[in-house]
Amino acid sequence: MCGILALIHANASETSAARELHEALYLLQHRGQDACGIATCASGGKIYQCKGNGLASKVFRDDGARISDLPGYMGIGHLRYPTAGSSANAEAQPFYVNSPYGVIFAHNGNLINAPELKRFLDYEAHRHINTESDSECMLNIFANELNETGKARVNDKDIFAALSRMYERCVGGWACTAMLAGFGIIGFRDAYGIRPLVLGSRPSNNGPGMDYMMASESVALKQLGYKQKDIIDILPGQAVIIQKGTSPVFSQVQAQKGYAPDIFEYVYFARPDSIIDGISVSQSRENMGYELAVAISKVLTPQELKEINVVIPIPETSNTSAPCVAARLKKPFSQGFVKNRYVFRTFIMPGQKAREKGVRRKLNAMEEKFAGKNVLLIDDSIVRGTTSREIVNMAREAGALKVYFASCAPPITHAHIYGIDLASPSELIAHERNTDVIAKHIGADKVIFQDLEDLERACAEAVSPGMTVHKSQKFEVGVFSGIYVTPVDAGYFAHLEKVRGETRKMKMMEHAREAVANGSAGQREFDIATNGIKVKDDGDVVPASSHNPSGSVAVNGNHIEQKVQGKRKREDGEETPSPREQMDISLHNFGDYAG
């Protein structure tokens, strides 16, 4: 899951596109904390870019000093949330290819046929892919189709035709923004509408005409002066092109195959003050609370319900749902946890121990809210159970007598394949486990999950006032049911586990090397730093055996050169430095440099 942006001012002499995109990054920071970037285009078609790993405040500096290096009247922005792939600096977006026409690209989602696309680009299109990102694949598929025009300059019909051909090759869920140097901005969405994208307009502040902006969520537009009445959803399979000084041109580049926004947007990811596909995120979460209260009433006995003293949310997403649970159950509501807002989301941390420590850093239980009480905790979802177990432990340490744990989402039993790397199925606590086993694992007296049907109803009935939803609109719920809206090849899940394993491998190696360097390494970290890591066929990551006379590490049956403390051995025995970070080579990138 990522955040994407695009902006074009009516006045081509404007130079402030980056300033507004920079502000919008902060409004969508919840959608991606791993990396971010902005690319702009000034008069003459010259492109400027700044991107890198980290929050917007790190990449652009706290005072936004780097924005002055990004002049231009139009631009696009991106916030990266880790998916099943590398998190190298080189994968920070926007991506860029100079041929044809200078294309800049920002992508939110996931392609489930990326290996097939890479083979096509290599053997048929002869285009080099420099990262492990499926976003770079999609950009090059688009660029290759654009190149088929053979023209010195393209028009909107050429671009729509290239997009149509790209859609025929790509499978998955996506929303994208793009920019052609000196031409304009583009936005498009997959044929099922899985990933969100909105377009807003407002009168220019600098002369006649209209400014236009696209974003993953409406809140980014509203905070920058775009009125809700002037914000529309890009429809499934639809693309829009906005050239400088003109009105948007729309085209259905692929027939709509459904209308199925990812329900996890409403459960967890989107800000509550956003409206996605006509549905109020805040109202959907309130509805989830009322529906969950009914489920709780069915699972708990009358005596257990009577004994509940207080309903407490797990910050922050469930802050909207928990009061509704309390109201329906006629129980007191209280904020029992204080959240530290300056730590990362725990379920994306590398390693179980890191996640457990992360929970303690993120939340603090107030003893006076728990001591001597039977508490009902409300959370948006339960993924691995790591966070939930630590939270239950914290509640008991604060003096809670009984702890009931309720989730606004149904049990998450399957992989998310459209852009959120929640976990491998084997890591999901609800995968092939019942509620009694889950409750025992996290230490709760009982666990209650929302029914899928009730969750879908909670969202479907949360239509924002004055808006309508498509009569055939449903939701993508594959993480709960295992039934996905797009066709999925049977081999994709094995591929996904391998990719996840490689990602965990890189993170664990980095962690082990840092631990050795600062003197805090245990035996496991020392073994990893010394002997390396291997990824098993099922994606599991384990320390490599030290009993290897060749000095190489066996990965998938193939021996690769061993890396020790940032170095690797050449065939002649001499050690050479190995890259600690891969940098983007497409443009001079300010985000690659410290200072």
Side-chain angles (χ1 to χ4, degrees):
M1 189 74 65
C2 299
I4 58 174
L5 298 158
L7 170 69
I8 185 166
H9 284 136
N11 190 335
S13 64
E14 274 271 12
T15 59
S16 61
R19 179 179 56 79
E20 293 191 77
L21 290 168
H22 178 241
E23 186 171 346
L25 289 179
Y26 286 94
L27 296 168
L28 297 183
Q29 187 75 79
H30 60 284
R31 297 190 66 87
Q33 303 173 351
D34 202 44
C36 64
I38 292 173
T40 60
C41 184
S43 58
K46 189 170 180 60
I47 298 165
Y48 300 85
Q49 177 178 269
C50 175
K51 63 177 184 175
N53 283 352
L55 302 173
S57 58
K58 175 186 175 183
V59 174
F60 297 96
R61 299 180 183 169
D62 290 328
D63 58 356
R66 290 178 174 170
I67 295 304
S68 60
D69 297 314
L70 302 171
Y73 64 95
M74 65 176 176
I76 65 174
H78 187 268
L79 293 145
R80 186 182 70 202
Y81 188 87
T83 56
S86 169
S87 58
N89 199 325
E91 295 189 6
Q93 297 186 43
F95 280 131
Y96 165 78
V97 291
N98 68 339
S99 177
Y101 315 118
V103 185
I104 306 91
F105 193 83
H107 170 255
N108 172 29
N110 191 49
L111 300 180
I112 62 177
N113 66 332
E116 175 188 332
L117 296 176
K118 285 185 178 181
R119 285 191 294 271
F120 165 78
L121 289 166
D122 186 8
Y123 291 104
E124 297 185 44
H126 310 305
R127 300 185 73 93
H128 175 67
I129 302 300
N130 201 54
T131 72
E132 299 303 315
S133 172
D134 60 345
S135 305
E136 190 186 9
C137 280
M138 195 173 198
L139 165 59
N140 277 273
I141 293 290
F142 176 45
N144 184 66
E145 298 300 341
L146 267 181
N147 200 50
E148 293 298 313
T149 64
K151 293 182 176 180
R153 296 289 184 269
V154 288
N155 56 38
D156 53 7
K157 293 183 177 60
D158 297 322
I159 296 171
F160 286 138
L163 285 171
S164 293
R165 294 191 297 271
M166 184 197 75
Y167 273 57
E168 292 173 4
R169 294 190 181 276
C170 297
V171 181
W174 62 78
C176 303
T177 55
M179 179 171 64
L180 262 64
F183 181 87
I185 59 173
I186 309 165
F188 50 93
R189 197 175 177 193
D190 69 81
Y192 295 91
I194 298 171
R195 300 266 65 86
L197 185 63
V198 295
L199 168 67
S201 60
R202 70 177 183 199
S204 172
N205 293 323
N206 187 15
M210 303 292 289
D211 298 335
Y212 295 95
M213 187 172 185
M214 287 180 274
S216 297
E217 294 184 37
S218 60
V219 64
L221 276 61
K222 287 187 285 187
Q223 291 294 97
L224 290 173
Y226 294 81
K227 305 296 184 184
Q228 184 62 55
K229 66 181 180 64
D230 298 318
I231 298 174
I232 61 172
D233 292 288
I234 303 300
L235 300 176
Q238 188 180 62
V240 58
I241 297 173
I242 311 171
Q243 298 185 56
K244 52 184 179 182
T246 67
S247 298
V249 179
F250 296 88
S251 178
Q252 194 71 33
V253 295
Q254 187 174 60
Q256 185 172 313
K257 297 180 179 180
Y259 208 136
D262 188 349
I263 206 165
F264 226 74
E265 290 280 357
Y266 305 100
V267 170
Y268 179 69
F269 261 95
R271 273 180 50 150
D273 46 351
S274 285
I275 297 172
I276 297 176
D277 290 304
I279 294 173
S280 164
V281 176
S282 176
Q283 186 61 57
S284 72
R285 291 177 185 166
E286 290 182 18
N287 292 353
M288 289 175 207
Y290 292 124
E291 296 284 357
L292 181 58
V294 175
I296 292 168
S297 299
K298 293 177 180 178
V299 173
L300 299 185
T301 66
Q303 183 61 32
E304 287 171 331
L305 282 170
K306 183 179 179 181
E307 290 176 349
I308 292 174
N309 300 117
V310 64
V311 176
I312 295 176
I314 312 302
E316 288 184 314
T317 313
S318 61
N319 287 353
T320 309
S321 304
C324 301
V325 174
R328 180 63 59 90
L329 295 178
K330 296 182 172 59
K331 295 291 181 179
F333 169 80
S334 181
Q335 293 280 359
F337 292 99
V338 177
K339 181 177 181 179
N340 178 0
R341 299 173 186 271
Y342 305 101
V343 293
F344 289 97
R345 285 175 169 143
T346 54
F347 74 75
I348 63 172
M349 287 182 173
Q352 188 83 347
K353 292 295 183 182
R355 285 189 288 271
E356 291 172 359
K357 291 180 180 178
V359 176
R360 296 277 178 166
R361 295 190 193 102
K362 185 172 72 170
L363 294 176
N364 182 55
M366 294 184 283
E367 289 189 10
E368 64 271 23
K369 304 291 185 179
F370 292 90
K373 297 177 182 178
N374 299 319
V375 299
L376 172 59
L377 303 181
I378 309 297
D379 207 351
D380 52 77
S381 58
I382 304 176
V383 183
R384 292 181 176 91
T386 305
T387 300
S388 304
R389 184 172 62 248
E390 286 300 308
I391 286 171
V392 171
N393 287 340
M394 291 166 66
R396 293 197 186 280
E397 289 169 6
L401 301 177
K402 289 185 178 181
V403 181
Y404 302 104
F405 202 104
S407 166
C408 290
I412 299 173
T413 53
H414 294 79
H416 194 290
I417 64 173
Y418 301 116
I420 310 174
D421 189 24
L422 291 178
S424 301
S426 60
E427 296 175 316
L428 297 169
I429 192 172
H431 183 68
E432 298 182 349
R433 297 180 182 90
N434 61 34
T435 54
D436 291 337
V437 174
I438 295 170
K440 183 177 180 180
H441 180 79
I442 70 172
D445 291 274
K446 278 189 178 178
V447 169
I448 306 97
F449 287 99
Q450 184 92 265
D451 289 334
L452 179 56
E453 184 178 335
D454 293 339
L455 174 62
E456 291 180 296
R457 182 169 56 251
C459 295
E461 294 179 354
V463 180
S464 183
M467 305 196 75
T468 58
V469 297
H470 197 277
K471 61 182 180 181
S472 65
Q473 183 167 319
K474 297 181 180 179
F475 299 98
E476 158 50 37
V477 295
V479 290
F480 307 120
S481 66
I483 301 172
Y484 302 94
V485 299
T486 64
V488 185
D489 183 80
Y492 174 72
F493 294 101
H495 164 73
L496 188 62
E497 290 309 299
K498 290 293 293 182
V499 172
R500 285 195 174 114
E502 291 294 338
T503 303
R504 288 195 294 271
K505 172 183 170 181
M506 289 185 290
K507 291 180 178 179
M508 290 175 66
M509 282 294 296
E510 184 72 17
H511 173 74
R513 287 168 175 167
E514 289 178 356
V516 170
N518 62 32
S520 63
Q523 186 60 47
R524 179 179 172 84
E525 287 85 0
F526 183 78
D527 289 344
I528 289 172
T530 303
N531 302 313
I533 303 177
K534 66 179 180 180
V535 181
K536 297 169 65 177
D537 289 340
D538 61 359
D540 192 19
V541 180
V542 296
S545 172
S546 60
H547 304 294
N548 191 337
S550 68
S552 61
V553 179
V555 179
N556 301 331
N558 297 316
H559 285 275
I560 60 174
E561 58 191 355
Q562 181 179 338
K563 300 180 181 181
V564 182
Q565 295 187 4
K567 295 185 177 182
R568 56 187 177 188
K569 288 186 178 180
R570 295 198 323 222
E571 290 184 1
D572 60 7
E574 183 179 348
E575 289 186 342
T576 59
S578 61
R580 293 295 299 269
E581 186 65 86
Q582 184 182 354
M583 300 299 183
D584 188 359
I585 63 171
S586 60
L587 282 176
H588 177 68
N589 180 26
F590 301 110
D592 287 342
Y593 306 101

